Amino acid sequence: MTDRQPPFPVDRLTVRVYTVPTDHPEADGTLSWDATTLVLVEARSGGTAGLGWTYGAPATAALVREPLAAAVLGRDALDTAGAYEAMRRALRNAGRPGAGSYALSALDVALWDLSARLLGLPLVRLLGGRSRPVAVYGSGGFTSYPDRLTERQLRGWTDGQGIPRVKIKIGEARGTRPERDLERITAARRAIGPDTALYVDANGAFTAKQAIRLADAFAEDGVTWFEEPVPSDDLPGLAAVRAAAAPDVAAGEYGDEPRYFAAMAPAVDCLQADATRCGGLTGFLRAAAVAEAAGVPLSAHCAPHVHAHAAAARPGVRHLEWFHDHVRVESLLFDGVLDPAGGTVTPGASGEPGHGLRLAADRAAPHLVDNWSVRRPD
């Protein structure tokens, strides 16, 4: 905790872009990739710094420099709500949806982390909660994986870490290989045994009728979660699958404002929100309020160390996605990562202020592709 008194003006923003190759080629139903880019924002006030990040194109970083920096530099770091609204306004002509929201999200998370560090509080406390266990689910099982790799990954979560819920990708080749999807689901069930919850994620690869037929076919494998069975913008399709299929239907990872989540809530069993896309922790908390008002649970999509403290602060959050790609990147770039042993993480348990992560500069350095700073005018 700083010995200064508020206000705590934001003096400098530093943006670093890291690109980390995947450990194996990765693909889902509608996309494939061999590297992941993390855009890291450091917001500094005096000698205290907060970190926030998003996953997206390196060009996202440019939107922090212009126009978002001008909306934040010189502002009291504790004024997270004011900064959020100023950033949204600043993006009007630059384009707020998409990369604009990603950049805003990274900066918002950095400001929340900075605020908590300035006050000497774990972030969960600043968000109105307490340190408590939050459920996680292991997520990976990419369509590009050979069966033996998927099995090893699943058993690493279930047998190695005691995580009682796991998810694999389906919808291979944009939904054109349903027989292969069914083979992989059955193989996953065989690998994890009868007692572990099995989730699937199609990343919008199917039509509603395809998804319903597939859900009927994999019913005997006990799948309880069907994520993005159709494209997330197809709300009637989501509602149709929800009405006809036994698994919980989930979607929302591309949402960027409360109205998006409010429109989607009646079509799903569980809303998803991603704080690296929906406006940072400010946006995530607003999505949680929408979910609560709609009477549906909320699940945090990917980037588990961004979400952990907010999830602990909101009891209506069902779980965090312990996504292989992002867990690997966050464990490489940061010290202080959480341990999911037993199927939960407990953010804030150490008492360390903020979200508790620190940049591991030496490990991160080989993956740095861009680095710049901007200071507030004198």
Side-chain angles (χ1 to χ4, degrees):
M1 179 177 180
T2 180
D3 56 4
R4 298 159 57 207
Q5 296 296 314
F8 303 111
V10 179
D11 301 319
R12 185 174 68 185
L13 300 176
T14 299
V15 179
R16 302 177 179 92
V17 180
Y18 298 95
T19 297
V20 180
T22 58
D23 51 356
H24 299 279
E26 295 178 359
D28 55 35
T30 53
L31 191 67
S32 61
W33 61 97
D34 59 11
T36 298
T37 294
L38 182 148
V39 178
L40 179 70
V41 177
E42 178 186 88
R44 182 171 291 275
S45 179
T48 305
L51 297 177
W53 61 94
T54 188
Y55 292 94
T60 303
L63 292 170
V64 178
R65 188 197 301 262
E66 175 64 37
L68 294 182
V72 170
L73 288 172
R75 182 180 294 272
D76 185 355
L78 303 186
D79 183 19
T80 52
Y84 177 86
E85 295 302 329
M87 288 191 288
R88 282 176 59 86
R89 290 194 297 270
L91 286 167
R92 191 193 74 176
N93 289 345
R96 182 184 52 77
S101 287
Y102 287 30
L104 183 157
S105 297
L107 188 42
D108 179 87
V109 173
L111 292 175
W112 276 103
D113 185 43
L114 174 59
S115 296
R117 293 175 191 259
L118 286 165
L119 298 174
L121 294 172
L123 184 52
V124 64
R125 294 289 304 279
L126 183 60
L127 293 171
R130 61 179 177 83
S131 179
R132 66 177 185 88
V134 178
V136 304
Y137 67 90
S139 172
F142 301 103
T143 59
S144 52
Y145 277 7
D147 289 350
R148 66 183 182 280
L149 180 55
T150 299
E151 179 179 343
R152 184 166 74 242
Q153 186 180 70
L154 294 174
R155 288 183 171 167
W157 289 319
T158 59
D159 299 345
Q161 296 180 304
I163 299 175
R165 56 198 78 82
V166 296
K167 186 177 81 177
I168 67 168
K169 300 290 191 179
I170 62 170
E172 186 170 342
R174 304 194 71 85
T176 62
R177 299 193 63 194
E179 71 291 340
R180 176 61 180 151
D181 292 326
L182 293 173
E183 290 173 359
R184 294 180 62 252
I185 291 168
T186 297
R189 172 54 71 196
R190 187 165 55 245
I192 64 178
D195 299 325
T196 298
L198 178 58
Y199 298 173
V200 298
D201 182 358
N203 288 99
F206 300 117
T207 67
K209 286 189 175 182
Q210 284 178 313
I212 292 166
R213 288 194 295 268
L214 195 69
D216 288 342
F218 62 55
E220 64 185 39
D221 287 312
V223 174
T224 57
W225 170 280
F226 198 172
E227 183 174 332
E228 280 197 321
V230 299
S232 57
D233 291 334
D234 181 6
L235 298 184
L238 286 171
V241 179
R242 182 192 188 198
D248 287 348
V249 170
E253 65 189 68
Y254 299 108
D256 64 346
E257 63 175 1
R259 284 172 291 190
Y260 179 105
F261 298 110
M264 179 172 282
V268 296
D269 297 292
C270 185
L271 272 173
Q272 294 174 284
D274 188 329
T276 73
R277 298 171 174 174
C278 73
L281 297 180
T282 301
F284 185 83
L285 293 173
R286 293 181 181 189
V290 170
E292 182 177 3
V296 296
L298 183 72
S299 179
H301 174 264
C302 290
H305 291 94
V306 167
H307 292 103
H309 286 258
R314 295 301 298 252
V317 175
R318 180 170 173 176
H319 42 39
L320 302 174
E321 182 172 10
W322 200 252
F323 181 52
H324 169 74
D325 201 10
H326 292 177
V327 168
R328 180 172 168 269
V329 171
E330 291 168 9
S331 297
L332 172 67
L333 300 184
F334 302 113
D335 291 322
V337 295
L338 298 166
D339 181 1
T344 64
V345 294
T346 309
S350 69
E352 189 166 346
H355 52 50
L357 270 64
R358 303 170 301 281
L359 178 65
D362 290 344
R363 294 201 307 271
H367 306 286
L368 183 66
V369 296
D370 195 11
N371 182 12
W372 50 265
S373 296
V374 57
R375 299 175 181 271
R376 68 175 172 131
D378 293 333

